[in-house]
Amino acid sequence: MVKSDLIKTIQTQVGVSPFTAKAVVDEVINQITTALANGDEVTLRGLGVFKTKRKSQRMGRNPKTGETVKVPATKVPKFSAAKALKDAVK
């Protein structure tokens, strides 16, 4: 399923216009992104938890030249699935 499929499904199931369904999906994604950028966790019961993880600085290798380069520390998004989601997928 891609974003457009999700929008069509919401439009059909809820009975709203395509514009409204797209606006809802876009706003949910925007709010999750904003919360993660601010360092907050987003918990959706039955789905899981979105949070950020800190990756420390490390040494890497340029595959083209073989030279060693420093990879800076960064924050990356992480998703942990809820038990209900894991059970539904089994």
Side-chain angles (χ1 to χ4, degrees):
M1 177 179 277
V2 295
K3 185 177 174 182
S4 60
D5 294 336
L6 180 61
I7 291 169
K8 286 178 189 173
T9 301
I10 290 172
Q11 173 195 350
T12 305
Q13 295 293 319
V14 179
V16 295
S17 71
F19 178 78
T20 303
K22 182 180 183 318
V24 168
V25 170
D26 287 342
E27 189 58 28
V28 167
I29 292 169
N30 183 42
Q31 290 301 316
I32 292 171
T33 303
T34 302
L36 292 176
N38 291 334
D40 298 332
E41 281 188 5
V42 178
T43 302
L44 301 174
R45 300 241 182 238
L47 182 65
V49 179
F50 293 91
K51 53 187 165 183
T52 56
K53 180 180 178 182
R54 187 96 176 126
K55 291 185 90 173
S56 59
Q57 179 178 316
R58 62 186 171 84
M59 296 304 288
R61 188 178 65 82
N62 182 335
K64 190 173 186 179
T65 64
E67 105 181 78
T68 304
V69 293
K70 213 180 264 191
V71 179
T74 186
K75 287 191 318 186
V76 293
K78 184 178 180 190
F79 176 74
S80 299
K83 185 179 182 317
L85 179 61
K86 289 178 187 177
D87 291 344
V89 172
K90 282 186 181 178

